[in-house]
Amino acid sequence: MTILIASDHAGFSLKKHLIQKFPQVQWVDLGPADETSVDYPDYADKVARALSEKGTPAPGSPDLPPFGVLICGSGQGMAIKANRNPNIRAALCWTPEVAGLARSHNDANV
C-alpha cells in the first residue's frame, strides 16, 4: 500500500514515528525535512494535489489511488485546506476508531 504523508513542524516527529512504526507501508514523504517552522497549507496542498490529480478510479478498479496522511498541531487546518481540492475527503481523526469510521462511512482518503 502506498500512502502519501506530510506534516508541518508541529507534526514532524509524529510523521517520522509513523514512517518508522509501519515499514511495510510504502510511504511517500512530501515534507518537511526537519522541524524548522513551515506553513501547514503548503504541505496540505502537496498531498491533496498529488491525490486529486490521480482522480477517482472506476468502480471495481484495482488501481485505487493512494491515501494521504497530514499531521499538524490540531489537524483541523490541514483538513480544511486539503478538502478544497477535487477528489479529496480529508477527515480530522484522533483515534483509530474515528479513522476507521471516517474511512468506512465517509470514504475519507486523507
Side-chain angles (χ1 to χ4, degrees):
M1 173 185 291
T2 300
I3 300 178
L4 305 178
I5 190 167
S7 69
D8 67 357
H9 53 282
F12 179 78
S13 62
L14 179 56
K15 178 185 72 162
K16 288 299 182 189
H17 173 76
L18 288 175
I19 291 170
Q20 291 173 356
K21 185 170 175 78
F22 299 100
Q24 70 277 17
V25 172
Q26 182 180 346
W27 295 102
V28 179
D29 187 350
L30 297 179
D34 58 37
E35 292 180 298
T36 302
S37 184
V38 296
D39 292 329
Y40 74 83
D42 297 339
Y43 293 91
D45 266 347
K46 285 183 180 193
V47 169
R49 287 183 182 183
L51 290 175
S52 69
E53 288 172 4
K54 289 200 57 107
T56 303
S61 170
D63 299 319
L64 294 175
F67 298 98
V69 173
L70 295 170
I71 306 167
C72 69
S74 73
Q76 190 63 54
M78 286 255 199
I80 290 169
K81 182 65 174 169
N83 279 322
R84 294 181 178 177
N85 292 272
N87 303 311
I88 299 300
R89 292 166 307 282
L92 178 58
C93 301
W94 55 93
T95 67
E97 179 184 27
V98 170
L101 291 169
R103 179 75 189 119
S104 64
H105 291 279
N106 305 113
D107 197 27
N109 59 358
V110 176

